Amino acid sequence: MKLFSCLIVLLLFLLQAVPGLGLPKDTLHCLGYEGFCFRSKSCPEPFAAFGTCAWGQKTCCIDTTSNFHTCQDEGGHCVPPEIKCLQEQVGLCPHREWKCCTEV
């Protein structure tokens, strides 16, 4: 029983010590774009909504005063990596591995 208690304490320590371990995938995605998780469904100024956090319970908001440009803001559209772009464009897509294209 003492060994089991030590293992549980070690596991809890590792979950706290390793950044990102145990966080929901959508939260990690938001943090990867330097976003913030807000409880409300709408983002306060100067933030814009960019997905969800905490398994869809919160809104991922990104600061619009930084180098924030979504693909759609720049006139492009997001495509998966297997689609070839004729012309790529700078802009953020909701899926990190996707790319922003003006022409496919």
Side-chain angles (χ1 to χ4, degrees):
M1 188 68 176
K2 199 172 201 179
L3 178 64
F4 180 72
S5 297
C6 289
L7 288 174
I8 294 297
V9 168
L10 180 64
L11 178 65
L12 290 173
F13 173 75
L14 288 175
L15 285 175
Q16 292 176 350
V18 178
L21 191 62
L23 290 177
K25 191 174 183 176
D26 60 350
T27 302
L28 290 173
H29 179 74
C30 181
L31 296 175
Y33 282 112
E34 299 179 11
F36 300 93
C37 296
F38 286 93
R39 291 189 191 276
S40 65
K41 291 296 177 189
S42 61
C43 299
E45 290 291 329
F47 295 93
F50 194 69
T52 62
C53 294
W55 294 289
Q57 300 298 311
K58 296 180 181 179
T59 305
C60 175
C61 300
I62 296 182
D63 187 357
T64 58
T65 60
S66 64
N67 290 334
F68 172 84
H69 298 288
T70 64
C71 184
Q72 289 80 9
D73 289 344
E74 300 297 321
H77 52 277
C78 295
V79 296
E82 60 269 7
I83 294 179
K84 190 168 190 111
C85 290
L86 293 177
Q87 185 174 359
E88 283 194 46
Q89 182 168 327
V90 175
L92 296 176
C93 290
H95 302 287
R96 180 175 280 243
E97 61 274 355
W98 287 29
K99 51 193 170 185
C100 182
C101 296
T102 52
E103 295 181 36
V104 180

